Amino acid sequence: MKVVNLGATNSVLNTFMAELRDKQFQQNRTLFRRNLTRIGQVMAYELSKTLSYSDTVVETPLAEKIVSTYDDHIVVGTVLRAGLAFHEGFLEVFDGADNAFVAAYREEGSADNLKIHVDYMVSPDLGGATLLLVDSMLASGGSMELAYQALLRAGKPRKLHLCVAIAAPEGVQHLKEVFPNDDVTLWTAAIDDRLNEQAYIVPGLGDAGDLSFGEKL
């Protein structure tokens, strides 16, 4: 698996990330979601450089113009619920994309004994598609793996991109073991230090789902 850490290069993306992590900015739920969306937009733009392109003839009011446009059938797949605002950023860039959703959650517990459940999946046909599987946080990597396995019931994508805002080294390593070949790419805006005993990313930002949509029971 290839790993692309966009945060390793200075850009406006790091400003969005700084606000996303800042506990003062996090008090504004609208701003928190908006920053996730903006990070998704930047990542989608960078990812677009890897797609397949061909020439298209466009008729302007004055003449024809040949423009290079992407050919991929893009499906944006999201892990509910924390991935929704992040998903919106990708959809604003790839506005003609199809969409897939997986409800995956973990039982609270220690990092050594995590139990992850997948309750729901809806997807278009993924056969031959370019699948962008997006989630705001990559902790242990278990949710991302199970979400992909669930989506395979809808067909085998031609290309797989795993997209997260913040990753833990443990999650990156887990996905490298799950996807050992270079035909899968992990995109992230930051790789943080570690997971704590509760399997939360440190320094991370807290619970992205709660910060986006409110605390859950």
Side-chain angles (χ1 to χ4, degrees):
M1 181 184 73
K2 300 176 186 175
V3 179
V4 180
N5 181 4
L6 297 176
T9 302
N10 287 333
S11 75
V12 70
L13 177 68
N14 289 337
T15 298
F16 303 154
M17 288 293 296
E19 293 183 359
L20 192 74
R21 294 181 188 267
D22 191 307
K23 62 183 181 181
Q24 299 301 321
F25 283 98
Q26 288 178 356
Q27 295 178 26
N28 185 327
R29 193 176 294 172
T30 300
L31 177 59
F32 184 85
R33 290 194 302 268
R34 180 58 183 154
N35 275 323
L36 273 177
T37 299
R38 294 196 292 182
I39 293 163
Q41 290 171 329
V42 173
M43 192 170 290
Y45 168 75
E46 294 294 335
L47 188 155
S48 74
K49 299 174 184 179
T50 71
L51 302 178
S52 299
Y53 287 79
S54 62
D55 289 342
T56 301
V57 178
V58 178
E59 187 74 31
T60 81
L62 300 178
E64 291 183 346
K65 173 65 178 176
I66 297 177
V67 181
S68 184
T69 60
Y70 69 84
D71 301 317
D72 298 58
H73 170 211
I74 293 177
V75 178
V76 182
T78 296
V79 181
L80 301 175
R81 66 179 170 148
L84 285 174
F86 197 42
H87 175 108
E88 185 63 28
F90 286 86
L91 197 57
E92 287 183 4
V93 173
F94 300 116
D95 52 4
D98 288 333
N99 296 265
F101 298 93
V102 177
Y105 70 94
R106 73 182 193 187
E107 294 180 6
E108 295 298 328
S110 68
D112 296 330
N113 189 31
L114 283 180
K115 295 180 180 179
I116 299 171
H117 304 270
V118 174
D119 282 353
Y120 172 81
M121 186 277 287
V122 61
S123 176
D125 183 5
L126 294 178
T130 297
L131 174 61
L132 281 50
L133 184 52
V134 311
D135 195 4
S136 52
M137 309 290 281
L138 175 66
S140 69
S143 294
M144 187 74 81
E145 177 188 3
L146 289 182
Y148 178 67
Q149 293 299 326
L151 287 169
L152 284 177
R153 299 201 296 267
K156 174 76 171 178
R158 181 183 64 86
K159 185 69 177 178
L160 175 62
H161 296 273
L162 307 172
C163 306
V164 301
I166 300 176
E170 294 89 339
V172 175
Q173 182 59 38
H174 178 77
L175 292 183
K176 283 182 176 180
E177 295 169 2
V178 173
F179 302 106
N181 298 321
D182 282 344
D183 57 351
V184 175
T185 302
L186 171 66
W187 299 80
T188 183
I191 299 177
D192 278 9
D193 297 343
R194 59 184 175 86
L195 293 180
N196 65 14
E197 293 181 355
Q198 289 74 42
Y200 279 94
I201 302 173
V202 179
L205 52 74
D207 189 304
D210 287 358
L211 290 167
S212 292
F213 303 111
E215 292 186 5
K216 56 188 175 294
L217 291 176

